[in-house]
Amino acid sequence: MVAPRALGVLLLLHLAPGEQQEKPRNVCQGLPDMNHYEDFDLNRTAGCFSKCTQSQEEFCHLGNLQRYWLNFETYLVEKSQMDTLNTSFLTALIKSINTSVSEDLYFSLTPSQIPKQVTKDDHQHPDRVRLPKSLFGSLKSGRPMVRLGIIILDVGPGNVFKGSLLSREDGSSVLNNRMVGLTLGHINVIKLAEPLEITFSHQYQPPNMSLSCEFWDATKGDWSSKGCSTEVGVHRTVCRCDHLTFFALLLRPILDEAMVKALIHISQAGCGTSMIFLAFTIILYAVLRFSRQRFKSEDAPKIHVALSISLFLLNLAFFINVGQRLKGSKAACWARGAVFHYFLLCAFTWMSLEAFHLYLLVIKVFNTYFSHYFLKLSLVGWVLPALIVIGTGIANSYGPYSIRDEKNVTTLELCWFRENTALYVVVHGYFLIVFLFSAVILSLVSWKIFTLSSATAGKEKAQHWKGVLTLLGLSCLVGMPWGLALLTSLGPFTAYVFALFTSLQGVFIFCWFLVLYWPRQSAVTSSGTARVDHAHTVSHE
């Protein structure tokens, strides 16, 4: 009886660990111990480069994966005993360097080959890195030798190390999916007196795509070009940067010179026409305000005119900004960028206030009295953008902005944002909030109008068409044509349509204002269009 009992204990001891090992673990969520760099863990984690696509992103933790490879770079230098590493997704060289080196160091970066030290005149390796001797000389006082790590990492087609700057929808990518990592371990190397150079070779540059040298900013979890410059050649691009980290050459869509000029001409013609009609709208409002006593108490015309004023000033700022290019001092450029940004935000804000007023008129209907209603709207419409611009200005985000063609030649220069991060937050993000809010309100109003037209279809045959025309007019007021900006990456046609419709917004507003208030207001008031605009709230100021 002893033998069977002992056999049972052995079986239990054998099965228990096996059951624990069979528990599934999604490595793309991040390893429990981020310091596991055995071959098995490296290969499994590298599989996430292809697994973590847009459709599978919920099964991946991009932040953990990106930190894993950044930490691995430091691990190779500080703790690993290896001098080289060669896998299908990563090659690396770890070399001890004398800080008293008397000349610049060159290393090859040939894909699928382990990096190796080469001479300055060795042209067999077009992909290479030059590390200036001054880099090591600055460390001489602290230590005679340092460990240098050079890594070539294939990040694959997925979303790891792609960040917000790259989108597969518009064809942007990391060139050859390849990142180059340079590190001295825990020694933080920044603001080099002489920049390092990384040369990336390429057979050709795709049309309408720009090449830019970027580094992976671990604090932001995104690409950045701060401290780096780009020198684009026919078959190679040289990146010069003042620090050590992971680098890559990014491919991003651009506008060619002919398209930029065409869009500028369309915008200028449309903006000029809009300014004329916006001026007509403001003059017409002034005439009606003095000639009709009841007109003074209506809030809807006041909001239309406030939007017209903001668009007029935005178009004027656009003409000045594009016309002046980068002439004048840095302070003048900063001011032009800030003014242009302010009136753009004012226009967006008044579009959202048009949508809010529409909500009160058509959806809420009852209990819509507000004391000093238009005064409160004015504070939001003019003061909120000013606060955002002041905050952006304090962050010193305004400055020269360039659009380059496929040859990396500047096709347009103006005063705008110096960095994309601020642009995405205080322009793109702000617009997206306004657009979504206006779209929701317009959807509710559409439902209301067509529900009403179905109930009265027997009484008025043209009710359906009046509802369609009403929605078109309201769409212009709340800025729906600006939503075409979300489609401009689909091709040149949508960019042209966006430029045309947004620049002619003032014309549409004038037509809307004219139909509503001039010359036969009583006749128009019976229509569905006027009912939406005339069921007004009253502000007692």
Side-chain angles (χ1 to χ4, degrees), residues 271-459:
C271 289
T273 305
S274 274
M275 289 179 71
I276 295 172
F277 281 89
L278 289 167
F280 287 162
T281 303
I282 298 168
I283 293 170
L284 178 58
Y285 172 76
V287 170
L288 292 174
R289 185 175 174 87
F290 283 107
S291 61
R292 298 180 183 177
Q293 185 65 30
R294 189 177 68 84
F295 201 75
K296 296 180 180 180
S297 64
E298 294 188 10
D299 291 311
K302 297 177 185 177
I303 299 173
H304 300 340
V305 169
L307 175 59
S308 299
I309 293 173
S310 67
L311 287 172
F312 182 90
L313 295 173
L314 173 62
N315 290 330
L316 181 61
F318 171 77
F319 272 112
I320 295 173
N321 206 353
V322 173
Q324 293 291 322
R325 300 294 177 94
L326 296 182
K327 296 178 182 178
S329 64
K330 291 183 179 179
C333 185
W334 186 97
R336 289 207 304 273
V339 169
F340 186 46
H341 183 211
Y342 172 70
F343 289 127
L344 180 65
L345 293 184
C346 286
F348 288 158
T349 306
W350 278 108
M351 290 173 200
S352 66
L353 293 176
E354 286 274 13
F356 174 74
H357 186 70
L358 192 60
Y359 166 78
L360 295 181
L361 299 184
V362 182
I363 309 301
K364 197 169 187 300
V365 180
F366 300 105
N367 300 322
T368 56
Y369 169 80
F370 295 97
S371 62
H372 305 291
Y373 175 65
F374 183 71
L375 177 61
K376 292 175 180 177
L377 293 184
S378 298
L379 288 174
V380 175
W382 302 112
V383 176
L384 177 60
L387 296 177
I388 296 175
V389 169
I390 290 171
T392 309
I394 291 173
N396 197 26
S397 298
Y398 302 118
Y401 181 84
S402 301
I403 296 177
R404 301 177 180 273
D405 63 11
E406 67 274 7
K407 297 178 182 178
N408 206 41
V409 176
T410 300
T411 57
L412 177 65
E413 291 181 326
L414 69 160
C415 298
W416 189 220
F417 280 81
R418 294 188 301 108
E419 295 184 357
N420 287 331
T421 303
L423 177 64
Y424 293 144
V425 174
V426 295
V427 176
H428 297 181
Y430 193 86
F431 162 72
L432 188 60
I433 294 172
V434 168
F435 178 77
L436 293 175
F437 174 73
S438 299
V440 170
I441 298 300
L442 196 63
S443 300
L444 294 174
V445 171
S446 304
W447 173 79
K448 198 85 168 181
I449 288 176
F450 289 109
T451 301
L452 178 63
S453 72
S454 336
T456 60
K459 299 179 182 179

Side-chain angles (χ1 to χ4, degrees), residues 228-243:
C228 292
S229 64
T230 306
E231 181 186 318
V232 179
V234 178
H235 296 297
R236 67 172 193 168
T237 295
V238 179
C239 300
R240 296 181 177 89
C241 299
D242 64 357
H243 54 282

Side-chain angles (χ1 to χ4, degrees), residues 245-266:
T245 183
F246 268 109
F247 302 94
L249 194 59
L250 303 192
L251 275 168
R252 287 186 287 176
I254 56 173
L255 302 175
D256 59 49
E257 186 176 6
M259 185 176 177
V260 169
K261 288 183 177 179
L263 289 173
I264 290 175
H265 292 326
I266 291 173

Side-chain angles (χ1 to χ4, degrees), residues 166-205:
L166 302 181
S167 168
R168 288 176 300 170
E169 285 75 12
D170 61 16
S172 57
S173 63
V174 174
L175 182 69
N176 299 325
N177 293 324
R178 188 159 55 101
M179 292 173 56
V180 175
L182 303 170
T183 183
L184 295 178
H186 289 306
I187 303 175
N188 189 24
V189 178
I190 58 174
K191 297 182 178 180
L192 293 172
E194 183 181 358
L196 61 91
E197 289 183 0
I198 305 175
T199 302
F200 293 95
S201 65
H202 43 80
Q203 293 300 316
Y204 65 93
Q205 184 177 348

